[in-house]
């Protein structure tokens, strides 16, 4: 079969890009353990408090080890429950030092919500009956707004919070 | 014999002179796609 020279160049370019893309994705998936943020663990959406992570006293920020934190959240229409502070006021801001590793664990009591820490790689779908997790290293200092990015109803825009990296 | 002679001579120069623009455009498109992919990947790595 005769192929034009340009055709050969283009085909080589196309196949080489495809191989590079697949290698990068394969590296992320099999060596670095990148996987979808949910569907791995299930939960009873009508009784999320039964799960250890979502007991009222376990919500919000906890330091597990030096530089390692976990944040447990229950999403519902139209709120993110990060627990309460010393004055029994609902927590809206999570403060962690720069370079810390933070594991976000979140579930929904009612409908599908989103959980995105805008400006970071933390971006998950939050489905009722499922637990979503994402571990991120907070490399950059700053204030990052938490938003719900799955339209969940009339109060969708009222679902927000903040992560402050200092 | 004459048939073969004609078909060999005529199409070759015409085809190569016609495809240069196509090739340039398709390579521009290709680099845009690769650039967009690595741009998104760079964002993922840097955040
Ligand atoms: Cu929502």
């Amino acid at each position: 079969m005769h192929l034009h020279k340009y055709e050969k160049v283009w085909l080589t370019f196309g196949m080489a890009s495809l191989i590079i893309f697949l290698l990068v994705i394969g590296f992320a998936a099999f060596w670095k353990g990148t996987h979808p943020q949910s569907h791995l663990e299930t939960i009873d959406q009508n009784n999320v408090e039964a799960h250890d992570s979502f007991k009222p006293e376990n919500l919000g920020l906890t330091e597990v080890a030096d530089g390692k934190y976990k944040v447990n959240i229950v999403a519902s229409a139209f709120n993110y429950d990060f627990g309460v502070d010393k004055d029994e006021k609902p927590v809206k801001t999570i403060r962690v030092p720069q370079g810390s590793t933070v594991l976000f664990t979140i579930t929904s009591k009612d409908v599908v919500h989103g959980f995105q820490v805008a400006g970071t790689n933390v971006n998950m779908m939050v489905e009722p009956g499922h637990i979503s997790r994402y571990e991120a290293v907070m490399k950059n200092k700053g204030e990052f707004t938490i938003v719900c990015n799955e339209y969940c109803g009339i109060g969708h825009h009222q679902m927000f919070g903040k992560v402050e990296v200092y | 014999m004459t048939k073969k002679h004609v078909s060999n001579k005529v199409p070759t120069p015409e085809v190569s002179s016609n495809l240069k623009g196509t090739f340039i455009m398709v390579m521009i498109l290709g680099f845009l796609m690769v650039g967009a992919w690595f741009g998104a990947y760079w964002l993922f790595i840097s955040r």
Side-chain angles (χ1 to χ4, degrees), chain B:
Chain B
M1 267 313 209
T2 32
K3 232 180 177 180
K4 198 186 170 192
H5 180 78
V6 169
S7 66
N8 254 348
K9 208 181 172 187
V10 180
T12 322
E14 202 180 50
V15 165
S16 55
S17 66
N18 268 348
L19 287 178
K20 198 164 188 179
T22 312
F23 180 67
I24 291 169
M25 283 312 290
V26 98
M27 285 313 279
I28 289 173
L29 188 65
F31 283 115
L32 276 175
M33 287 157 85
V34 173
W37 197 94
F38 278 101
Y41 194 68
W42 172 80
L43 263 182
F44 174 71
I45 295 298
S46 66
R47 281 173 162 193

Side-chain angles (χ1 to χ4, degrees), chain A residues 76-80 111-114 148-153 155-156 159:
Chain A
S76 59
F78 303 98
N79 183 47
Y80 290 120
V111 296
V112 176
H113 294 283
C148 176
N149 57 14
E150 297 280 342
Y151 185 69
C152 54
H156 172 62
M159 294 186 72

Side-chain angles (χ1 to χ4, degrees), chain A residues 38-50:
Chain A
S38 60
H39 301 298
L40 295 170
E41 284 171 275
T42 53
I43 187 172
D44 177 9
Q45 66 172 94
N46 298 314
N47 192 16
V48 295
E49 289 86 1

Side-chain angles (χ1 to χ4, degrees), chain A residues 38-88:
Chain A
S38 60
H39 301 298
L40 295 170
E41 284 171 275
T42 53
I43 187 172
D44 177 9
Q45 66 172 94
N46 298 314
N47 192 16
V48 295
E49 289 86 1
H51 193 282
D52 212 41
S53 299
F54 304 113
K55 287 191 166 63
E57 65 270 25
N58 291 340
L59 291 178
L61 183 74
T62 316
E63 187 170 7
V64 262
D66 215 28
K68 285 206 105 188
Y69 296 84
K70 59 180 185 182
V71 180
N72 297 333
I73 311 125
V74 173
S76 59
F78 303 98
N79 183 47
Y80 290 120
D81 193 348
F82 296 98
V84 289
D85 61 16
K86 286 172 229 135
D87 310 321
E88 298 291 310

Side-chain angles (χ1 to χ4, degrees), chain A residues 12-29:
Chain A
T12 311
F13 176 86
M15 282 190 271
S17 340
L18 185 64
I19 289 166
I20 291 168
F21 294 163
L22 287 174
L23 282 178
V24 172
I25 290 171
F27 177 74

